Structure formats: C-alpha cells, structure tokens
Amino acid sequence: MNIRGLSAAIIACTVFSIPAYADNHGMDDKKTVAELVATSDEHTVLETAIEESGLSAKLNGKGPFTLLAPTDEAFDALPEGTLDSLLMSENSDKLESVVGYHVVEGQLIPGSMILMLIEAGDTRGSVTMLNGEQLFINKESDGSVTLEDAEGNKTSVIKADLKASNGVVHVIDHVLMP
C-alpha cells in the first residue's frame, strides 16, 4: 500500500470507528492472549477449545498473536451438536483448525489497523489465519466493518484492543468456521 492509500485507510478507520478500549477493561497486558481468555467470564468455551485443540502452549508463547475471541454466547448460537462434535477426541484436527481460524500469528493487528488490511478504494481485504485459510475483512455499504469466514458467515468486533503480553485480543460475536 502506498502512502496515499495508507492515509486513506487511516481516515477510513476514524470514519468507520472500530471500538477501542484503551483501559483494557481490567485486562492485564502481562498476561498472554491465552491467559486473557482463561480469566474472562465470557470466554469459558473458547478457553476449553484452546486447551482441547492443543494450541494453548502456542498461544502462551512469544507471538505476536491477534486473537479473535468469540463469546460463550457466540458458541451457543452454533447449530445444535456442532460444539459437542468439535470437542470429541476424534475431531481434534477440525477443532484445531477452527481455533486456528481465530488467530493471526506473527502480526499484531490493533482495531485501528483492521481497515488497513483493505486496500484504499476496495471494499474487501483478507488476512491469513493460523490454520492457513483466509479471513475476509469487508467494508459494508453502511460503513460498518465485518469479518467473513470461509462459509460466508459474518461477524463484528464488539470489543477491540484487549492488550496481552504477546499480542492483542478482539472480542467477536460469532464463531468463524473454516
């Protein structure tokens, strides 16, 4: 992206106002992204999924990581039986892929930078997730920003910029499916 495009993206971030929470809502930037999830009352299912997927050690590692953290309510909205199926030991590869579809490894992407993943003048960009698949970032016609998974399901960031020692966590309102 050139300087002109970067300037347009910065202006777009201001216009589209992705919510940022500078006070971290009690979060401690001495904790890793996995530890932030483990101490959150609204992410108990995600905590279990991270542990069961075998990604806990990675998400407690050096990073940086950007973690898109679906709430327990988001997991409850999955079709009946989906979560139980994912947590079965014979589906550990699928669970790892689903959890990995919520993580960007090697990049710290604060809320203010999400729109910069969309080239100036475009309405869609993408980022490669830990599981190797693309997650799409859409600038909607009403000015809102949505994240779109491989199945075409859209989610929004409902809390952004929860700082961790090895990255950042953004709370989302739906589970992303690879």
Side-chain angles (χ1 to χ4, degrees):
M1 179 181 305
N2 61 32
I3 295 298
R4 174 179 270 159
L6 184 60
S7 296
I10 291 169
I11 292 167
C13 286
T14 305
V15 171
F16 297 114
S17 65
I18 298 168
Y21 294 84
D23 69 359
N24 244 2
H25 290 279
M27 295 298 188
D28 181 354
D29 65 3
K30 292 182 173 119
K31 294 179 181 173
T32 65
V33 293
E35 290 168 338
L36 285 180
V37 167
T39 59
S40 169
D41 291 338
E42 64 182 359
H43 293 99
T44 59
V45 177
L46 180 59
E47 176 188 10
T48 299
I50 288 171
E51 290 173 7
E52 294 295 319
S53 70
L55 290 174
S56 184
K58 179 179 266 309
L59 295 178
N60 278 310
K62 185 177 178 184
F65 300 103
T66 299
L67 174 64
L68 304 172
T71 62
D72 290 346
E73 191 174 289
F75 279 99
D76 289 343
L78 288 172
E80 190 171 329
T82 302
L83 181 59
D84 291 335
S85 177
L86 285 171
L87 293 173
M88 296 171 73
S89 60
E90 61 265 22
N91 293 328
S92 61
D93 289 345
K94 180 151 176 102
L95 178 62
E96 183 178 350
S97 180
V98 169
V99 173
Y101 201 45
H102 291 81
V103 179
V104 179
E105 183 177 24
Q107 289 185 307
L108 181 66
I109 306 172
S112 61
M113 302 288 284
I114 290 175
L115 272 177
M116 289 185 193
L117 298 172
I118 301 174
E119 292 290 330
D122 288 338
T123 58
R124 186 173 171 105
S126 68
V127 64
T128 302
M129 306 308 284
L130 180 63
N131 70 351
E133 294 195 36
Q134 296 295 304
L135 178 69
F136 300 98
I137 300 101
N138 300 305
K139 183 170 41 174
E140 302 293 338
S141 60
D142 66 358
S144 65
V145 175
T146 59
L147 307 174
E148 184 178 341
D149 67 20
E151 294 186 357
N153 302 308
K154 293 184 179 183
T155 187
S156 298
V157 175
I158 55 175
K159 291 180 192 169
D161 298 334
L162 303 176
K163 295 177 186 170
S165 62
N166 65 347
V168 65
V169 176
H170 303 302
V171 179
I172 59 175
D173 58 2
H174 288 88
V175 177
L176 302 166
M177 297 303 279

